[in-house]
């Protein structure tokens, strides 16, 4: 994974790990640039340094679902099933770790649990 200038947007999250925060920010910037595959890779790197960070799990769930440039109609059945399973699993992990998250993160995680792809 090369390093690109994705901008300086940061979203502070509830983690004590600077590496987790860095990888989360890079992943979020990739998502905002509509490259969800790279975003997931970054969120997975963030989980290596803080596997209990609820909002990184939220990031994977957010990224695993459909988006503007790759909607559900473009997913094959197996791909859609995999996306839903991944989203659901990470929402569950986010909820399980929500006690250590900020109020905003807990609310965002709960909202993701109510999304259409995780039912």
């Amino acid at each position: 994974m090369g390093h690109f200038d994705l901008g300086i947007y940061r979203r502070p999250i509830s983690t004590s790990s600077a590496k987790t925060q860095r990888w989360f920010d890079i992943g979020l910037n990739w998502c905002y640039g509509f490259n969800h595959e790279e975003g997931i890779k970054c969120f997975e790197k963030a989980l290596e340094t803080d596997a209990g960070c609820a909002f990184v799990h939220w990031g994977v769930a957010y990224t695993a679902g459909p988006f503007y440039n790759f909607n559900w109609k473009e997913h094959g059945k197996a791909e859609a099933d995999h996306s839903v399973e991944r989203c659901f699993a990470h929402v569950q992990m986010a909820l399980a770790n929500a006690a250590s998250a900020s109020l905003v993160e807990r609310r965002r995680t709960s909202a993701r649990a109510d999304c259409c792809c995780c039912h």
Side-chain angles (χ1 to χ4, degrees):
M1 182 173 9
H3 295 280
F4 296 91
D5 182 2
L6 300 173
I8 58 170
Y9 180 76
R10 287 190 79 244
R11 170 63 178 91
I13 59 173
S14 299
T15 184
S16 60
S17 169
K19 286 184 180 181
T20 301
Q21 181 67 61
R22 180 176 178 269
W23 281 112
F24 178 84
D25 290 336
I26 294 169
L28 197 57
N29 279 291
W30 274 120
C31 291
Y32 289 162
F34 299 108
N35 190 333
H36 285 208
E37 288 180 31
E38 287 300 316
I40 285 179
K41 289 178 188 177
C42 294
F43 294 138
E44 288 173 343
K45 289 290 282 183
L47 288 171
E48 290 176 12
T49 53
D50 188 352
C53 184
F55 218 55
V56 176
H57 287 289
W58 170 89
V60 175
Y62 166 76
T63 308
F67 64 102
Y68 182 78
N69 289 337
F70 192 51
N71 61 45
W72 281 122
K73 292 178 185 176
E74 295 169 347
H75 283 75
K77 179 170 176 16
E79 191 173 29
D81 289 347
H82 175 71
S83 292
V84 169
E85 289 170 8
R86 188 179 215 176
C87 177
F88 183 78
H90 281 278
V91 165
Q92 297 310 305
M93 288 184 263
L95 292 171
N97 291 288
S100 61
S102 71
L103 178 60
V104 169
E105 292 169 352
R106 286 194 308 271
R107 287 183 175 167
R108 184 87 238 61
T109 299
S110 295
R112 190 65 185 163
D114 292 332
C115 76
C116 63
C117 71
C118 294
H119 289 289

